[in-house]
Amino acid sequence: MDLTCVCAHALDAPSAWVRRWTHLLAAGATVLDVACGHGRHMRWLSEQGCQVTGLDRSADALAAAKAYGEVVLADIENNDWPLLHNGVARQFDGVVVTNYLWRALLPVIAASVRPGGVLIYETFAQGNETVGKPSRPDFLLAHGELLEHFANWQVVAYEDGFLESPPRFVQRIAAIRPAPRPPESGVPRYSL
């Protein structure tokens, strides 16, 4: 992934989108920050009372991020997902992803959100190639792509458009993973 733009945000304040939707997480919630960098969102989430795990491929970035919670060093684009237990993704009350897209990981990111848990995702979208990096289509969401990937989730908020400062095209979603439906018992229900 082209990290030019991502690294520019490494030490900035947390994303306004993440700050806006953090209230969906209960105090004490477990939260995974995917591609956490230096931990700007880990810091924010830990200040809100969350138990945070950060995942990144940069040991240098994680050295700073570990001040805010658990950190996991892994190259998730070229190796297996590191947060597996008996072949099943470890689940969190919330998952945060910003300025990162690796489409092959979208299913495992979704599986990492426990039923009833929250996904807060914000990354670059098509059109960004006209204003800066990243500019490769591999790293830019197509119009409505996050809505397609999370179509069965309860979408709390969704935006797809241009932001002026800094100039960028983004797509972002805050969504709640549905709880599984109980199986039908086959016993008819009667009302009195």
Side-chain angles (χ1 to χ4, degrees), residues 72 79-92 108 111-112:
V72 178
N79 295 299
D80 291 336
W81 185 252
L83 300 171
L84 294 176
H85 180 68
N86 295 328
V88 177
R90 180 174 155 196
Q91 292 189 326
F92 297 83
V108 75
S112 297

Side-chain angles (χ1 to χ4, degrees), residues 105-128:
L105 289 176
L106 286 172
V108 75
I109 288 170
S112 297
V113 180
R114 72 159 179 79
V118 177
L119 173 71
I120 302 171
Y121 202 130
E122 173 183 37
T123 197
F124 300 98
Q126 289 177 350
N128 203 68

Side-chain angles (χ1 to χ4, degrees), residues 4 13 29-31 54 64 70 73 75 81 86 91 111 115-116 118 132 141 157 167 183 187:
T4 306
T30 59
V31 182
E70 174 189 12
L73 177 65
D75 180 352
W81 185 252
N86 295 328
Q91 292 189 326
V118 177
L141 289 165
V187 176

